[in-house]
């Protein structure tokens, strides 16, 4: 697939399918299976179908990292015939072995027992945090810009490294909705030939706590209440706000969660942050402190709060679907890896900011993010469980050239990630699972244990030995050994305490607030008001209002008004901080790759422009979905959404190519959406579509009879609403409106 031609793949399929109604399903990204099914059940034996063309899989390496050269499908099921797990062919899997047709079942039925027993054990524990996630394969290409500060080979100029990325929410269970307000995980496994590097990042640059020992506390507070196990995957509840209002070092991360960053539009449109400061070391042994950043090519964008709530019901898989569909459409998600680089001084500070405090950022205006490479995600997993569920990340997976610092949060994570895999993946050999196998030679002297997949030769898995010829040997500098940087540990008493510099809990929260544009501030006010409004206990609301007073009086007063409570005075002096414009998401323009454009058509109206518009949308790297009163074909084009199945939240823009009359199924008794406008001459579901797109500040375009729809909704001559005489002309302008993501000036902000 050509990454420079987004949406090309879908377009090819669409073009090939337009003359065949039976292929309609295959015209939309997401259709299951690599070949369209037949109506009749197939009866001719054949080998398993290959994966879909956008699907990838872990390389077929041995458990110890050697290349096998086998195709990746060698890891999947083989042959045309149903077998037992031992490969014996079976005649029947629908009837258990019985004493006569009416039973009882016989204990000797091995096939029955094997089938049921395996099924009984199909589930493994979900991750204790980040349980809900979606992954993709890709390639990282280094620019070489970091060569002087690290000896890590994968950062040499032009090096390409295979990666697997898993995005996630933090709080929800495996089956929870994607679009909840939460932090997102952004974990990347670089399969480097010097050992795997895991960059286990989030989409926010700070964390709730400064010391790992408090991780169970914040997570217990944020997860559902232990008595009723509600609410699922949300922070809008008493225990969360109880903790963060008492534990004020959490306030910085909390305002990020309350901002639009907590409700991303897409995984493709999120930044990633390593949060901690890491230490890089070059070949000469010189060190630098760095923070890792991922910068998305498509910019940082968010959903509106109402969209997230609707999507929770309409499409709880919205983010994973968006990721997979974009890759299938050829709109490969891209990020640049960037570094903020700081001198490695004994104080480990920069511009007065403690680099070991994970509740603090270093504003990009003070330390610019320097791009060092590009990540492109170009393949979806073949099997969710084998890849996304079983992938195991760990901060300690570091190649030579990258080392840790003493950040007390980072240090605790170094312990936690192995420990959690022991339970989750059922033993100590999780590195041997295909998705976790390194692409480097492994000779670790680790032996045996549950699910051991390697067959080690030799008799001396110990050092020193002479019986195995001394193998394995320690590597020296010339062999590129990992060296723990010999950082001086200052002599100090053994204490349970934090440095004094960790005590400032409010100045950077204020910095974040002051860096927001007015519309982003409105969203933050709304988020705090909503979340605290869902708490039962007034004491908790009052305590959090006190925290807001220490951040900013306007923020506090607005939220207090919404809660019907007085706004308290600050108890700490308001910090005098310079805003960081880089923190705002608003005010720039971005490419629209993989965006979805809904085109409403009237099969009885003028359809002349439809083919041209569709092509223009493809040419812009976006995916057009035709929305019509019924499925099938309209103007020889496949219909992807009917008025019954379409909902505004899945589209980034709506184009009105017609004004379809109410369809026969526009009956409130059958479809509640049809109850919106009884007397309308246009199908009320189309009016609803446009009204929702309007209040979610999305681009809307209309030509020809489409103007009638706008008139009926009363949305005429308004910001972000484009009208014209031809579809291509209108889409040309709509595209420009979409580049800014939303038309925020539709709704002027009340705060400055
Ligand atoms: Fe994690 N975290 N974490 N975390 N974390 C896990 O590991 C933990 C923290 C992050 O897609 C767990 O394999 C502790 C910060 C991501 O598989 C567990 C602390 C950041 C993922 C764990 C933190 C993260 C995890 C659960 C405080 C951003 C998902 C399952 C010291 C820089 C990885 C697992 C995936 C997962 C522990 C804090 C990111 C329990 C103790 C800060 C993206 O080991």
């Amino acid at each position: 697939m050509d990454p420079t031609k987004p949406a090309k793949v879908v377009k090819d399929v669409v073009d090939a399918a337009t003359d065949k109604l039976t292929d309609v399903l295959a015209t939309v990204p997401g259709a299951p299976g690599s070949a369209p099914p037949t109506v009749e059940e197939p009866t001719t034996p054949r080998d398993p179908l290959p994966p879909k063309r956008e699907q990838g899989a872990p390389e077929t390496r041995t458990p110890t990292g050697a290349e096998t050269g086998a195709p990746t499908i060698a890891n999947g099921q083989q042959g045309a015939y149903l077998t037992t797990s031992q490969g014996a062919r079976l005649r029947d899997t629908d009837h258990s072995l019985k004493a006569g047709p009416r039973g009882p079942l016989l204990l000797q039925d091995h096939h029955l027992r094997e089938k049921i027993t395996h099924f009984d054990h199909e589930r493994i524990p979900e991750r204790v945090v980040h349980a809900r996630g979606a992954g993709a394969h890709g390639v990282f290409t280094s620019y070489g810009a970091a060569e002087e500060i690290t000896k890590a080979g994968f950062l040499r100029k032009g090096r390409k490294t295979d990666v697997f990325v898993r995005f996630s929410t933090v709080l929800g269970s495996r089956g929870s909705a994607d679009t909840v307000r939460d932090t997102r995980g952004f974990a990347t496994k670089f399969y480097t030939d010097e050992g795997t590097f895991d960059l286990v990042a989030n989409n926010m640059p700070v964390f709730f706590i400064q010391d790992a020992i408090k991780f169970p506390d914040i997570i217990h507070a944020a997860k559902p209440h232990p008595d009723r196990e509600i609410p699922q995957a949300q922070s809008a509840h008493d225990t969360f706000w109880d903790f963060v209002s008492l534990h004020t070092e959490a306030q910085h991360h909390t305002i990020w969660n309350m901002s639009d960053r907590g409700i991303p539009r897409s995984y493709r449109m999120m930044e990633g942050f390593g949060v901690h400061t890491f230490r890089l070391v070059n070949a000469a042994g010189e060190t630098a402190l760095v923070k890792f950043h991922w910068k998305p090519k498509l910019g940082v964008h968010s959903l509106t709060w109402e969209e997230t709530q609707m999507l929770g019901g309409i499409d709880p898989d919205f983010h994973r679907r968006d990721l997979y569909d974009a890759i299938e459409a050829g709109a490969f998600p891209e990020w640049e890896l960037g570094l903020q680089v700081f001198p490695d001084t004994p104080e480990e500070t920069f511009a007065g900011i403690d680099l070991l405090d994970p509740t603090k950022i270093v504003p990009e205006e003070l330390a610019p993010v320097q791009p060092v490479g590009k990540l492109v995600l170009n393949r979806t997993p073949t099997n969710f469980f084998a890849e996304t569920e079983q992938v195991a990340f760990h901060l300690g997976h570091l190649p030579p050239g990258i080392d840790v610092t003493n950040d007390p949060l980072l240090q605790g994570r170094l312990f936690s990630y192995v420990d959690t895999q022991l339970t989750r993946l059922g033993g100590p050999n999780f590195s041997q699972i295909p998705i976790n196998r390194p692409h480097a030679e492994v000779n670790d002297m680790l032996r045996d244990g549950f699910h051991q997949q390697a067959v080690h030769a030799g008799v001396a898995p110990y050092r020193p030995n002479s019986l195995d010829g001394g193998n394995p040997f320690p590597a020296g500098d010339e062999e590129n050994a990992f060296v723990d940087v010999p950082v001086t540990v200052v002599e100090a008493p053994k204490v349970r305490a934090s440095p004094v510099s960790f005590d400032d809990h409010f100045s950077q929260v204020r910095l974040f607030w002051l860096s927001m544009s007015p519309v982003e501030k409105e969203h933050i006010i709304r988020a705090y008001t909503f979340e605290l409004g869902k708490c039962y206990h007034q004491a908790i609301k009052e305590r959090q209002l006190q925290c807001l007073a220490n951040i900013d009086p306007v923020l506090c007063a607005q939220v207090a008004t919404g809660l019907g409570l007085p706004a308290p005075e600050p108890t700490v002096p308001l910090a005098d901080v310079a805003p960081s414009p880089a923190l705002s998401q608003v005010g720039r323009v971005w490419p629209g790759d993989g965006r979805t454009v809904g085109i409403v058509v009237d099969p009885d109206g003028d359809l002349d422009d439809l083919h041209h518009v569709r092509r223009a949308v493809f040419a812009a790297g976006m995916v057009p979905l035709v929305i019509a009163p019924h499925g099938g074909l309209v103007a020889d084009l496949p219909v992807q959404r009917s008025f019954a199945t379409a909902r505004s939240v899945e589209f980034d823009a709506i184009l009105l190519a017609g004004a379809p009359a109410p369809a026969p199924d526009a009956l409130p008794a059958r479809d509640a959406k049809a109850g919106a406008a009884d007397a309308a001459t246009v199908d009320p579901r189309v009016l609803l579509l446009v009204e929702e797109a309007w209040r979610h500040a999305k681009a809307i375009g209309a030509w020809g009879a489409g103007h009638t729809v706008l008139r009926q909704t009363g949305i005429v001559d308004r910001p972000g609403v484009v009208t014209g005489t031809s579809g291509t002309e209108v889409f040309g302008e709509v595209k420009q409106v979409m580049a800014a993501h939303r038309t925020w000036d539709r709704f002027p902000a009340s705060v400055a």
Side-chain angles (χ1 to χ4, degrees), residues 253-494:
H253 192 163
T254 303
I255 201 169
W256 278 78
N257 269 25
M258 293 306 114
S259 78
D260 288 346
R261 304 274 181 151
I263 48 174
R265 156 66 180 82
S266 160
Y267 292 137
R268 301 179 290 132
M269 300 169 203
M270 297 190 320
E271 277 179 300
F273 302 91
V275 174
H276 316 284
T277 300
F278 289 78
R279 182 171 272 110
L280 297 189
V281 54
N282 66 14
E286 295 158 340
T287 59
L289 298 178
V290 298
K291 283 183 179 286
F292 289 104
H293 293 247
W294 287 115
K295 294 280 184 190
K297 175 185 157 196
L298 303 181
V300 186
H301 303 297
S302 296
L303 295 165
T304 67
W305 178 237
E306 192 192 24
E307 276 180 305
T308 69
Q309 293 183 302
M310 290 169 67
L311 283 164
I314 292 165
D315 188 5
D317 307 302
F318 184 72
H319 283 146
R320 59 169 66 167
R321 189 189 307 286
D322 168 274
L323 177 71
Y324 302 149
D325 283 359
I327 293 174
E328 187 172 346
F332 298 146
E334 270 184 45
W335 289 259
E336 277 192 318
L337 180 66
L339 298 179
Q340 280 183 304
V341 185
F342 317 104
D344 191 357
T345 59
E347 300 75 37
E348 296 166 317
T349 59
F350 183 80
I353 299 163
D354 192 333
L355 296 172
L356 299 195
D357 179 352
T359 66
K360 301 290 189 302
I361 61 162
V362 177
E364 290 183 30
E365 291 75 9
L366 299 182
V369 177
Q370 303 171 34
V372 299
K374 185 167 82 169
L375 165 69
V376 178
L377 296 181
N378 54 14
R379 286 172 302 142
T380 62
T382 298
N383 185 280
F384 184 91
F385 182 85
E387 299 166 72
T388 307
E389 196 58 15
Q390 294 202 109
V391 67
F393 296 94
H394 188 342
L395 244 74
H397 293 167
L398 298 166
I402 307 180
D403 202 356
V404 297
T405 59
N406 290 343
D407 172 343
L409 191 70
L410 183 162
Q411 298 264 320
R413 291 178 74 198
L414 286 172
F415 164 74
S416 177
Y417 287 68
V418 167
D419 188 43
T420 203
Q421 312 307 352
L422 296 177
T423 301
R424 196 172 75 76
L425 297 171
N429 289 315
F430 50 84
S431 302
Q432 301 183 2
I433 295 171
I435 191 71
N436 297 324
R437 289 182 184 175
H439 291 194
E441 292 173 340
V442 176
N443 196 346
D444 53 13
M445 294 199 301
L446 307 178
R447 288 293 182 273
D448 309 342
F450 281 115
H451 319 303
Q452 176 62 248
Q453 315 210 7
V455 185
H456 298 301
V459 293
Y462 54 80
R463 274 202 47 78
N465 76 68
S466 63
L467 283 173
D468 279 351
N471 180 281
F473 295 91
D477 281 350
E478 318 74 60
E479 291 88 22
N480 198 23
F482 184 93
V483 179
D484 299 281
V485 177
V487 177
T488 304
V489 179
V490 180
E491 195 178 318
K494 187 166 75 178

Side-chain angles (χ1 to χ4, degrees), residues 538-554:
Q538 181 157 325
I540 292 170
K541 300 181 198 189
E542 286 177 9
R543 202 191 299 137
Q544 178 58 31
L545 281 177
Q546 184 60 62
C547 293
L548 297 186
N550 293 347
I551 298 167
D552 186 82
V554 174

